[in-house]
Amino acid sequence: MANREGDPSLGYLTRKETEVKLPRPTRVKNKTPAPIQITAEQILREARERQEAEIRPPKQKITDPTELADYRLRKRKEFEDLIRRVRWNKSVWVKYAKWEESQKDFNRARSVWERALDVDYRDHTMWLKYADVEMKNKFINHARNVWDRAVTLLPRVDQLWYKYIHMEEMLGNVAGARQIFERWMSWEPDQQAWLSYIKFELRYNEIERARAIFERFVQCIPKVGAWIRFAKFEMKNGEISRARNCYERAVDKLADDEEAETLFVAFAEFEEKCKETERARCIYKFALDHIPKGRAEDLYRKFVAFEKQYGDKEGIEDAIVGKRRFQYEEEVRKNPLNYDSWFDYIRLEESVGNKSRIREVYERAIANVPPADEKRYWQRYIYLWINYALYEELDAQDIPRTRDVYSECLKLIPHKKFSFAKVWLLAAQFEIRQLNLLGARSILGNAIGIAPKDKIFKKYIEIELQLGNIDRCRKLYEKYLEWSPENCYAWSKYAELERSLSETERARALFELAIAQPALDMPELLWKAYIDFEIAEGEFERTRQLYERLLDRTKHLKVWISYAKFEASAIEEAEQQEELPEDVLLEQKKLCIQRARRVFENAINYYRTSAPELKEERAMLLEEWLNMESSFGELGDIELVRVKLPKKLKKRRQIEIEDGAAGYEEYIDYLFPEESQASNLKILEQAYRWKKQKVASDDDEEDDDD
């Protein structure tokens, strides 16, 4: 029953009554395009043409005062009713007031404007329209009253002041306009208001009044732009000294301001216009010294242009240097650890030659210590110290300061983690140049004790050797070998020193100690030096023993070849002994050849039995043997070697990688004569075995048949 009567939430309507019935969509039977196509534009045009004319109310003609009063009463009632509904709508008030104005009832219009201002007096547009109505109808005093009230209530709205002043100026009331400006200036408005006041005075050629206003202006708004305007005003009126005074006062007050660059540029350009080039140059230089480099880009550009126009060669170079100095300052400010920028900056200052500035840049550069104690970060940085020391010594010629630079640098380096041999050596060489040998020895001794390095030992030994201090050299070599016993260079050089002093036994003992070391960095060089030493001493038997001892340690191909060449070289030694008879000399040559052949035979036997996989080394050994036999001339036996030479065979083998086979490659294999004979014997043996098996199988078949 409740459902039939209606639902309260639906306004007591039934569900059926609230259902929206949409028209049934027309089913299109024929979907083929129409023969005449109609565009959307055509439809709209036809709709506009068929539109009926707008129905407008008939115009009413008022013929007597009664009808006019009725019309006014009705219209006012409409406006009043509308105001009661939307009192905050300002457009309604404006329409109402303008309608009253159209009826020439100005008192009622003023009443409407006043009521509107009571609603919101802070809307300056209402004041502007109110005053415009009064001015349009030439009610000047009423308009003044409106403007006066407006600027009193809204003193921060500049448009009200401008309109008020404009009205008085149009009326020719200059004194009244000036009085309004003074009222406005008491509120300390923005820059444009002051400039408008100044332009007002200038329109009436009141220069002194304008100057006084400028004085108040720069006191109220002490900015660079205000002072520049003041100076340009004086310049325009031909007051050069007054304009210069303005700029000087501005520099005194605003030298540290953010816009100081603009002030200095304007001041310099003013002096340039006055043909005071020296004054302009001094201003530019003063500005460049006082303004931070990051804010002086335009100043540098102007200075360079000025010097190119008025300066000499030195002035232009100074300007260009200043510009480049600014660029380097910017680079090192962005990244103080970019040492290449510091090097470029220092090179620039050194080209100028100002010692104090060069030292300042060096000190600033070396103050940027690398952030981590890793040598790769210090490798570029340490050259700042080196260049600093070299500059103090060679250019500035300040010896005590150079010594201090080296000392501070050596204190700064973390020697426990890494060191720089170059710095130690440069410091020592500096002391030697100053004839301070004790100081140089002290530095190198500290270097050996704190951070020993190969370069330091070598240079220290070289210095002592040049001075002829052999005992010191021996002690240094001992220290060197204690620090690095595996250093073959040190052992061979120490032995070379002893041999140069004719201390043969000491040199031989050093070589024996060296080859007895458990680990050596380049043993082949040490053995070669020992062997060459014995050969130079003419100890051939000792040399053979050395070769045999070396072959006990390594069977390298080069060792065998060197041993054989040594034995063959004994022929040359025999030939040099001219006093020997020919038969004895011939016997000695044959003995040398036999010894060389024995070395080669031993080498071939070793490669054939102990290292058969080293076929290439064996082939190279035979080639060397063949060359040696040919060098012996008539005493040589080339056929002895030729029968042992292998054949070269090209073969292919599969390349194996992690993923499997990856194709084939060609390589050279060697087939030696004994290997080919052995392979032939193996073939005959296999053929004999096969024949034997065949005969045995035939006998078995005959037995089965029986």
Side-chain angles (χ1 to χ4, degrees):
M1 188 67 181
N3 290 337
R4 195 178 300 171
E5 289 177 357
D7 190 352
S9 65
L10 300 174
Y12 295 98
L13 297 174
T14 61
R15 295 283 182 183
K16 190 173 183 180
E17 290 172 342
T18 58
E19 290 179 357
V20 180
K21 292 184 178 181
L22 298 173
R24 183 179 295 173
T26 305
R27 184 174 294 175
V28 181
K29 295 181 180 179
N30 186 7
K31 295 184 179 180
T32 58
I36 300 173
Q37 297 293 318
I38 301 174
T39 62
E41 182 185 359
Q42 188 176 351
I43 293 169
L44 292 173
R45 188 169 61 249
E46 289 179 359
R48 187 173 181 80
E49 289 173 356
R50 296 179 184 181
Q51 190 175 6
E52 295 180 359
E54 184 182 355
I55 300 172
R56 294 181 179 179
K59 291 183 179 180
Q60 182 182 4
K61 289 186 178 181
I62 299 171
T63 56
D64 57 0
T66 306
E67 288 183 3
L68 178 60
D70 289 342
Y71 165 72
R72 286 176 176 174
L73 181 63
R74 187 174 66 252
K75 199 71 176 173
R76 284 181 183 125
K77 187 177 183 303
E78 289 176 3
F79 276 120
E80 291 293 341
D81 291 341
L82 191 58
I83 285 169
R84 275 195 294 274
R85 288 199 306 272
V86 287
R87 187 168 178 268
W88 58 86
N89 194 336
K90 297 165 189 173
S91 62
V92 176
W93 289 103
V94 174
K95 288 178 182 178
Y96 190 7
K98 287 189 175 181
W99 181 81
E100 291 290 359
E101 182 193 353
S102 68
Q103 299 301 312
K104 304 299 181 183
D105 195 344
F106 295 108
N107 289 329
R108 281 183 180 275
R110 289 189 190 100
S111 176
V112 173
W113 284 115
E114 294 294 339
R115 287 166 63 195
L117 291 171
D118 286 340
V119 175
D120 185 10
Y121 73 91
R122 289 172 295 183
D123 185 6
H124 68 282
T125 57
M126 297 295 288
W127 291 100
L128 291 170
K129 290 176 181 177
Y130 187 9
D132 283 341
V133 169
E134 297 289 4
M135 288 190 298
K136 186 170 63 175
N137 293 289
K138 300 182 180 180
F139 296 114
I140 302 302
N141 287 329
H142 282 286
R144 282 191 180 120
N145 184 23
V146 173
W147 287 125
D148 192 66
R149 289 162 59 203
V151 297
T152 304
L153 293 170
L154 302 172
R156 293 298 178 188
V157 180
D158 294 345
Q159 194 175 5
L160 296 174
W161 292 102
Y162 282 125
K163 289 280 188 180
Y164 191 7
I165 293 164
H166 180 66
M167 184 191 78
E168 295 292 354
E169 195 173 359
M170 289 296 102
L171 293 171
N173 186 9
V174 177
R178 185 177 290 119
Q179 190 177 2
I180 297 165
F181 264 122
E182 287 296 333
R183 284 177 62 192
W184 189 10
M185 295 305 111
S186 65
W187 288 95
E188 296 184 356
D190 61 359
Q191 178 174 320
Q192 195 58 42
W194 288 97
L195 296 176
S196 299
Y197 191 9
I198 293 164
K199 287 178 183 177
F200 166 77
E201 295 293 355
L202 291 175
R203 279 198 295 272
Y204 300 101
N205 290 324
E206 295 287 348
I207 304 298
E208 288 301 325
R209 285 181 180 273
R211 184 174 290 121
I213 296 166
F214 259 121
E215 288 289 348
R216 292 161 59 193
F217 173 35
V218 295
Q219 296 299 325
C220 179
I221 304 176
K223 290 187 177 179
V224 170
W227 283 102
I228 291 174
R229 285 180 182 275
F230 191 7
K232 286 183 178 179
F233 160 76
E234 296 290 2
M235 183 71 179
K236 188 176 180 182
N237 290 298
E239 297 287 345
I240 305 294
S241 59
R242 285 179 182 271
R244 184 175 290 118
N245 185 35
C246 287
Y247 279 120
E248 289 172 356
R249 288 162 60 196
V251 168
D252 290 339
K253 293 184 178 181
L254 302 173
D256 298 328
D257 192 80
E258 290 184 357
E259 298 179 357
E261 180 190 9
T262 309
L263 175 63
F264 282 113
V265 169
F267 193 4
E269 288 178 348
F270 160 75
E271 296 291 358
E272 190 178 342
K273 287 178 183 176
C274 297
K275 309 299 181 183
E276 295 284 351
T277 54
E278 284 303 318
R279 281 177 176 268
R281 184 176 287 109
C282 292
I283 291 165
Y284 276 124
K285 290 183 178 179
F286 177 82
L288 291 172
D289 290 338
H290 285 78
I291 294 179
K293 301 298 186 290
R295 300 204 307 259
E297 186 175 355
D298 187 50
L299 189 66
Y300 273 112
R301 189 171 63 253
K302 295 277 187 183
F303 183 38
V304 171
F306 170 80
E307 287 293 347
K308 285 180 180 178
Q309 186 174 359
Y310 298 103
D312 53 4
K313 184 178 179 181
E314 292 182 1
I316 295 170
E317 288 178 356
D318 289 343
I320 294 170
V321 165
K323 188 173 182 180
R324 289 175 61 195
R325 186 180 290 129
F326 163 73
Q327 294 172 353
Y328 290 137
E329 284 286 349
E330 192 68 18
E331 288 180 13
V332 299
R333 183 183 63 80
K334 289 179 181 177
N335 185 9
L337 296 177
N338 184 3
Y339 301 119
D340 289 330
S341 299
W342 285 109
F343 282 121
D344 295 337
Y345 194 3
I346 291 164
R347 202 173 296 116
L348 172 68
E349 294 296 349
E350 287 180 348
S351 67
V352 175
N354 189 339
K355 288 185 180 181
S356 60
R357 190 179 278 275
I358 294 169
R359 283 173 177 157
E360 178 195 350
V361 178
Y362 266 121
E363 292 293 338
R364 286 171 57 199
I366 61 178
N368 297 292
V369 182
D373 289 344
E374 294 185 27
K375 191 166 185 178
R376 59 195 179 99
Y377 296 120
W378 287 65
Q379 283 174 339
R380 197 79 179 125
Y381 168 73
I382 207 68
Y383 277 97
L384 287 171
W385 285 95
I386 293 171
N387 289 357
Y388 190 11
L390 293 175
Y391 166 77
E392 292 291 353
E393 182 187 359
L394 302 176
D395 294 344
Q397 296 183 354
D398 191 338
I399 303 305
R401 196 176 180 90
T402 308
R403 189 173 285 115
D404 292 341
V405 171
Y406 279 122
S407 176
E408 290 298 322
C409 178
L410 291 173
K411 287 178 185 176
L412 184 65
I413 298 170
H415 298 290
K416 291 184 178 179
K417 295 185 178 180
F418 58 85
S419 185
F420 291 94
K422 183 183 288 291
V423 180
W424 291 105
L425 294 175
L426 286 172
Q429 288 167 349
F430 161 72
E431 295 294 350
I432 291 171
R433 285 194 293 274
Q434 305 308 316
L435 305 179
N436 184 9
L437 195 57
L438 291 176
R441 281 175 177 156
S442 175
I443 291 170
L444 292 172
N446 288 335
I448 290 171
I450 296 171
K453 286 199 166 191
D454 286 331
K455 282 185 181 178
I456 297 172
F457 277 111
K458 290 175 185 177
K459 195 66 180 178
Y460 197 1
I461 292 167
E462 181 185 342
I463 291 169
E464 295 294 352
L465 194 58
Q466 287 175 351
L467 295 172
N469 296 321
I470 304 302
D471 291 336
R472 281 185 177 274
C473 291
R474 284 173 176 158
K475 287 180 181 178
L476 287 172
Y477 271 121
E478 289 171 7
K479 291 280 186 185
Y480 193 1
L481 293 170
E482 284 178 13
W483 172 67
S484 177
E486 72 281 355
N487 193 329
C488 293
Y489 173 84
W491 285 107
S492 57
K493 283 293 181 182
Y494 192 6
E496 186 180 332
L497 171 67
E498 296 294 352
R499 182 171 179 270
S500 66
L501 299 171
S502 301
E503 294 283 352
T504 308
E505 291 303 321
R506 288 178 69 96
R508 187 174 287 119
L510 284 171
F511 276 123
E512 288 294 335
L513 281 173
I515 62 176
Q517 296 298 318
L520 293 169
D521 55 0
M522 290 186 290
E524 64 277 5
L525 295 181
L526 186 64
W527 280 94
K528 184 178 184 304
Y530 193 5
I531 290 168
D532 290 344
F533 164 74
E534 294 293 359
I535 292 172
E537 292 295 324
E539 298 285 347
F540 295 112
E541 195 57 39
R542 285 181 180 273
T543 307
R544 289 189 189 94
Q545 291 176 6
L546 275 178
Y547 270 117
E548 294 296 335
R549 288 165 65 188
L550 181 57
L551 287 171
D552 290 340
R553 295 193 179 193
T554 177
K555 296 291 195 297
H556 197 274
L557 173 66
K558 289 184 178 180
V559 178
W560 289 108
I561 294 173
S562 176
Y563 190 8
K565 285 183 176 179
F566 158 70
E567 294 292 0
S569 65
I571 295 175
E572 298 175 2
E573 295 290 335
E575 288 177 350
Q576 291 176 1
Q577 297 178 4
E578 298 177 355
E579 65 276 4
L580 291 176
E582 288 188 5
D583 54 345
V584 175
L585 183 61
L586 184 62
E587 289 296 325
Q588 284 190 358
K589 286 183 178 181
K590 289 181 179 180
L591 181 61
C592 291
I593 292 171
Q594 288 175 2
R595 284 175 175 166
R597 285 173 180 165
R598 186 169 64 250
V599 172
F600 275 119
E601 287 172 356
N602 291 338
I604 295 297
N605 289 333
Y606 165 75
Y607 281 115
R608 185 173 61 246
T609 57
S610 300
E613 70 278 0
L614 301 177
K615 292 184 178 181
E616 188 173 359
E617 284 78 356
R618 186 176 169 190
M620 291 171 66
L621 193 67
L622 288 169
E623 289 289 338
E624 287 290 335
W625 191 2
L626 183 64
N627 293 335
M628 188 175 287
E629 290 290 347
S630 60
S631 67
F632 290 153
E634 295 179 356
L635 299 176
D637 188 358
I638 296 174
E639 289 300 323
L640 178 66
V641 185
R642 188 171 290 169
V643 295
K644 297 181 180 182
L645 290 175
K647 292 182 180 178
K648 289 185 180 180
L649 303 175
K650 273 190 180 181
K651 292 188 177 181
R652 295 176 68 198
R653 60 187 169 196
Q654 199 170 22
I655 302 172
E656 295 291 338
I657 59 174
E658 293 180 359
D659 298 336
Y664 293 87
E665 66 173 354
E666 286 189 352
Y667 70 100
I668 302 295
D669 194 12
Y670 297 91
L671 183 64
F672 291 91
E674 61 269 19
E675 291 178 356
S676 61
Q677 292 175 4
S679 62
N680 291 336
L681 289 173
K682 285 182 180 178
I683 292 169
L684 290 173
E685 186 178 350
Q686 288 175 358
Y688 177 73
R689 193 181 298 117
W690 176 81
K691 182 68 176 176
K692 193 174 182 182
Q693 289 175 357
K694 186 89 180 338
V695 170
S697 62
D698 291 343
D699 292 343
D700 292 341
E701 286 178 1
E702 289 177 0
D703 292 341
D704 291 341
D705 292 340
D706 294 340

